Amino acid sequence: MRVNLEQAIAKLKRGEVVAIPTETVYGLAADASNENALQQIYAIKERPANNPLIVHIATKAQVGDWAAEFSPLAQKLAHAFWPGAFTLVLPAKPEVLKIVRAGESTVALRIPEHAMTQQVLKESGLGLAAPSANKSTQLSPTTASHVAHGLGEHVPVLDGGACKIGIESTIVAVEGDEWRLLRLGMIGEAAIALVAGKPANKNKQATPRAPGQHLLHYSPITPIKLFDSKSDLIDFATTHKGCVALMIGDGEIASGKTFNLPNNPHTLAEKLYDTLHQMDALNAALLLIEAPPNQTEWLAIKDRLSRASHKTL
Ligand code: AMP
Ligand code: MG
């Protein structure tokens, strides 16, 4: 069900859920200080209780409502990357609801850039928990119709067009003057290190962890097989009928439909989930996908595709 801005704000204030557009993917939003509202997010998404939620806020001034510490390093990163596809995990104030942080001692915060969602945040005055508006482990939505298709027509959706970034935010945990990368996104490690003035702490024992980063994630219903080269993919398709292919730049398979995405990580990311949704709708036996090149700017896309393909590995 489509709702307009005023209806979305009224619903959120009443403790109801609304799917909202962001520049990364559509989020299933609810008041992050309302336990009942948050329970609806977990129920609708069938999200495991140990997977915490990102709280979306309008301004840096609101960080102090949620985080117990906003260190100079965290402030530097916030200044460089907010508003945008960047999430900071910071030590939480004790009063932040346990259901938001899934029992962790930290809270994840993001200021999104999408104009409509900025307006929702500003006019409601709320912090909004908003994980991707899809069933847990399935493909993330980048349009209002993806949300309706994945969660059902009864879920209210604020339509803000197609998401411009197209994959989930980069997540960075900051404790004092140390930072760690918890999830890759289109803002890469090198850009963060440059702003931080130091490399990430890669100590495996370090906390916080990023719970909920399961190997099977971001996944279509149809199984996926990844190929390191175009020719391997094309060869496979000649002996396996009923497949659909996704290739980067040029190329096609003779035995089925081929989707081609641009050979540029940013424009490819913008179209990636929509293309996977379209491929999934064709009820093919298998989706054959050309793996991106081994260069750092493709790492986030590689991460999503390898998780999406996990069940066929
Ligand atoms: P999403 O489902 O895209 O909204 O992303 C939520 C992800 O953010 C979770 O799966 C966690 O990996 C990470 N996250 C959220 N809150 C925290 C937290 N308090 N500590 C560590 N990671 C978090
Ligand atoms: Mg998600």
Side-chain angles (χ1 to χ4, degrees):
M1 168 207 343
R2 304 295 161 103
V3 292
N4 64 27
L5 198 71
E6 288 67 36
Q7 292 166 323
I9 292 170
K11 280 180 178 295
L12 291 164
K13 283 182 159 174
R14 282 202 300 267
E16 296 172 27
V17 297
V18 178
I20 57 167
T22 83
E23 66 277 18
T24 59
V25 302
Y26 273 72
L28 187 63
D31 176 355
S33 59
N34 179 330
E35 177 119 26
N36 283 332
L38 298 165
Q39 275 164 357
Q40 291 175 54
I41 292 185
Y42 281 92
I44 293 172
K45 282 182 59 66
E46 296 163 22
R47 185 172 175 102
N50 66 355
N51 193 348
L53 305 174
I54 297 173
V55 179
H56 297 72
I57 52 178
T59 66
K60 275 183 267 183
Q62 286 171 282
V63 170
D65 298 343
W66 303 91
E69 179 189 299
F70 195 22
S71 70
L73 171 59
Q75 290 186 39
K76 237 201 282 191
L77 295 173
H79 183 72
F81 298 117
W82 279 351
F86 185 78
T87 299
L88 273 175
V89 170
L90 302 173
K93 283 187 136 175
E95 57 266 37
V96 176
L97 291 175
K98 266 201 165 146
I99 185 171
V100 173
R101 32 193 184 93
E104 301 290 314
S105 60
T106 49
V107 63
L109 297 171
R110 177 163 100 85
I111 301 183
E113 190 170 29
H114 196 288
M116 217 178 231
T117 288
Q118 283 258 353
Q119 224 174 325
V120 172
L121 289 166
K122 288 205 172 106
E123 287 180 24
S124 69
L126 300 171
L128 293 176
S132 52
N134 56 299
K135 297 274 183 195
S136 208
T137 80
Q138 293 184 2
L139 267 182
S140 295
T142 55
T143 65
S145 20
H146 294 161
V147 177
H149 184 250
L151 295 182
E153 284 293 342
H154 59 285
V155 171
V157 187
L158 179 65
D159 189 347
C163 304
K164 286 286 169 219
I165 305 281
I167 68 169
E168 299 77 4
S169 61
T170 301
I171 305 182
V172 163
V174 178
E175 256 180 340
D177 60 357
E178 296 284 330
W179 67 279
R180 295 192 317 113
L181 190 57
L182 300 187
R183 179 173 72 191
L184 283 164
M186 295 312 289
I187 295 173
E189 187 170 350
I192 301 164
L194 199 65
V195 172
K198 64 196 295 191
N201 178 348
K202 300 260 163 114
N203 178 356
K204 290 242 184 317
Q205 310 307 322
T207 54
R209 305 166 297 117
Q213 291 294 297
H214 303 295
L215 273 177
L216 170 63
H217 214 139
Y218 317 116
S219 181
I221 307 290
T222 320
I224 291 181
K225 189 167 170 60
L226 286 179
F227 294 85
D228 285 330
S229 82
K230 282 188 203 297
S231 54
D232 287 354
L233 189 159
I234 292 167
D235 286 350
F236 184 92
T238 56
T239 51
H240 296 76
K241 304 295 169 207
C243 297
V244 176
L246 174 58
M247 300 180 80
I248 301 175
D250 296 335
E252 60 179 335
I253 57 171
S255 55
K257 191 167 166 59
T258 307
F259 291 77
N260 296 90
L261 283 178
N263 188 7
N264 170 300
H266 295 279
T267 40
L268 186 143
E270 186 186 340
K271 301 268 162 13
L272 179 64
Y273 288 141
D274 184 57
T275 307
L276 291 174
H277 278 285
Q278 289 182 48
M279 293 171 78
D280 212 12
L282 296 175
N283 294 319
L286 193 59
L287 309 183
L288 313 181
I289 299 187
E290 181 183 346
N294 285 319
Q295 290 158 350
T296 51
E297 62 267 32
W298 290 95
L299 280 173
I301 293 163
K302 271 199 118 110
D303 169 77
R304 300 305 187 275
L305 285 174
S306 64
R307 289 175 203 275
S309 67
H310 190 68
K311 60 185 154 183
T312 56
L313 291 181

